[in-house]
Amino acid sequence: MTDTPEYTPPKVWTWNKPNGGNFASINRPIAGPTHDEALPVGRHPLQLYSLATPNGQKVTIMLEELLALGHSGAEYDAWLIKIREGKQFGSGFVAVNPNSKIPALMDRSGPEPVRVFESGAILVYLAEKFGALLPTTQPARAECLSWLFWQMGSAPYLGGGFGHFYAYAPTKIEYAIDRYAMEVKRQLDVLDRRLAESEFLSGADYTIADIAVFPWYGGLVKGWQYGAAEFLSVQDYKHIQRWADTILERPAVIRGRMVNRVSGDLSSQLHERHDADDFNTKTQDKLVEESS
């Protein structure tokens, strides 16, 4: 095993602020706002405050899928929240999500604004609001919700566990990487076995379960996360690969992955989305071209 300094936990933990690796500037042991900052509000009833992380992509994909199905009430403004700059700790954002995590949604379509936070809750809220992408009869509904909550419970082992220790931690710890790599491969095997017997996670139909799981695990097998595709032998999960390729062909998924994206090819980055035509006119390559 790789040599690491011996560590004996103190009787009482105290916050060592610099000891946080890549995320030291935004992690802290207390909640609440750090500064006053109001959130912008656009012209659509649905106001999304997010970033195109896997959790953020779930909601923008969902909204684009709803619009593709003809639900005009799903038109939305997507505002970019730069988490590396601590924008999630502004007073306005904390009022929408006291947990200071993206994504966060405000629905202003009714007499009283409704806040919704946590990506799984947002998916269920939108599915029920528009009557789409969530089965209404059993056993398909139970299967869909089971896989949705499987993702919510499993992804922290992938991101906060494996991803952190493999890609972001200031020190490579063999024990931690081995522990979380084993768990992520077990999760991939769970998914692969399910998708060997079913076209989508809840059955024959594409649902919010697929929308939730795809950005994390589809992204992992397509080599987009943590530079870990070879390390985890993701090519071995043939059924997840088939499922991910099928989902990647959906136009709403292509659009949803672009919204609030700040990395990658400039043509794939739509920092803010306020109108459907923004995909044609407001991507970063277009904006750079206009300014040059």
Side-chain angles (χ1 to χ4, degrees), residues 148 199 221 233 250 278 291:
L148 172 65
E199 183 176 2
V221 301
S233 302
R250 300 180 69 88
D278 289 350
S291 65

Side-chain angles (χ1 to χ4, degrees), residues 5-289:
E6 188 71 23
Y7 172 67
T8 301
K11 289 184 178 181
V12 178
W13 182 85
T14 57
W15 183 25
N16 181 3
K17 189 173 182 179
N19 188 23
N22 285 15
F23 300 97
S25 64
I26 63 171
N27 287 336
R28 59 198 181 110
I30 56 174
T34 60
H35 60 282
D36 289 329
E37 185 174 356
L39 290 175
V41 178
R43 63 187 179 90
H44 298 300
L46 297 177
Q47 299 292 301
L48 178 66
Y49 305 95
S50 193
L51 179 70
T53 65
N55 284 335
Q57 288 178 34
K58 298 174 197 175
V59 180
T60 49
I61 289 172
M62 177 66 171
L63 289 165
E64 292 298 328
E65 292 283 11
L66 289 169
L67 290 169
L69 290 171
H71 296 285
S72 59
E75 271 293 350
Y76 66 105
D77 291 279
W79 303 94
L80 178 63
I81 300 296
K82 296 181 179 180
I83 61 175
R84 292 283 187 144
E85 297 178 8
K87 297 297 184 180
Q88 69 275 32
F89 299 118
S91 56
F93 190 92
V94 174
V96 181
N97 184 354
N99 197 37
S100 291
K101 303 289 185 181
I102 60 93
L105 180 74
M106 284 295 292
D107 181 357
R108 299 178 177 274
S109 62
E112 294 290 333
V114 176
R115 75 176 188 183
V116 196
F117 58 92
E118 295 298 328
S119 58
I122 296 173
L123 292 181
V124 173
Y125 178 82
L126 292 172
E128 293 182 338
K129 178 180 177 72
F130 293 102
L133 299 167
L134 174 60
T136 57
T137 58
Q138 303 295 3
R141 181 180 178 87
E143 193 74 18
C144 176
L145 292 174
S146 293
W147 284 108
L148 172 65
F149 283 94
W150 176 88
Q151 184 277 310
M152 301 299 289
S154 296
Y157 292 96
L158 170 54
F162 174 76
H164 178 78
F165 286 105
Y166 183 79
Y168 302 131
T171 302
K172 301 298 183 190
I173 303 171
E174 183 179 0
Y175 174 81
I177 293 172
D178 282 352
R179 171 67 181 85
Y180 286 111
M182 177 180 67
E183 172 60 14
V184 169
K185 287 186 72 67
R186 188 195 69 81
Q187 293 175 3
L188 288 170
D189 194 42
V190 169
L191 274 181
D192 205 58
R193 289 169 183 265
R194 171 56 178 166
L195 292 167
E197 63 187 19
S198 180
E199 183 176 2
F200 295 106
L201 287 171
S202 66
D205 296 324
Y206 173 78
T207 69
I208 59 173
D210 303 286
I211 292 172
V213 174
F214 169 76
W216 281 104
Y217 295 90
L220 184 65
V221 301
K222 301 320 291 184
W224 302 333
Q225 294 186 47
Y226 313 124
E230 181 179 7
F231 182 75
L232 295 173
S233 302
V234 297
Q235 72 280 354
D236 294 345
Y237 302 98
K238 304 297 186 184
H239 303 292
I240 305 177
Q241 293 282 357
R242 182 271 306 164
W243 167 82
D245 288 340
T246 298
I247 291 176
L248 276 170
E249 293 175 357
R250 300 180 69 88
V253 172
I254 295 170
R255 292 193 299 272
R257 293 187 63 243
M258 295 171 64
V259 179
N260 298 144
R261 178 175 290 278
V262 295
S263 63
D265 190 280
L266 292 179
S267 64
S268 72
Q269 297 182 36
L270 182 62
H271 287 190
E272 291 186 357
R273 188 263 193 220
H274 304 290
D275 185 86
D277 195 49
D278 289 350
F279 292 102
N280 301 317
T281 62
K282 299 292 179 61
T283 52
Q284 284 303 107
D285 59 323
K286 301 286 197 319
L287 297 181
V288 169
E289 185 178 313

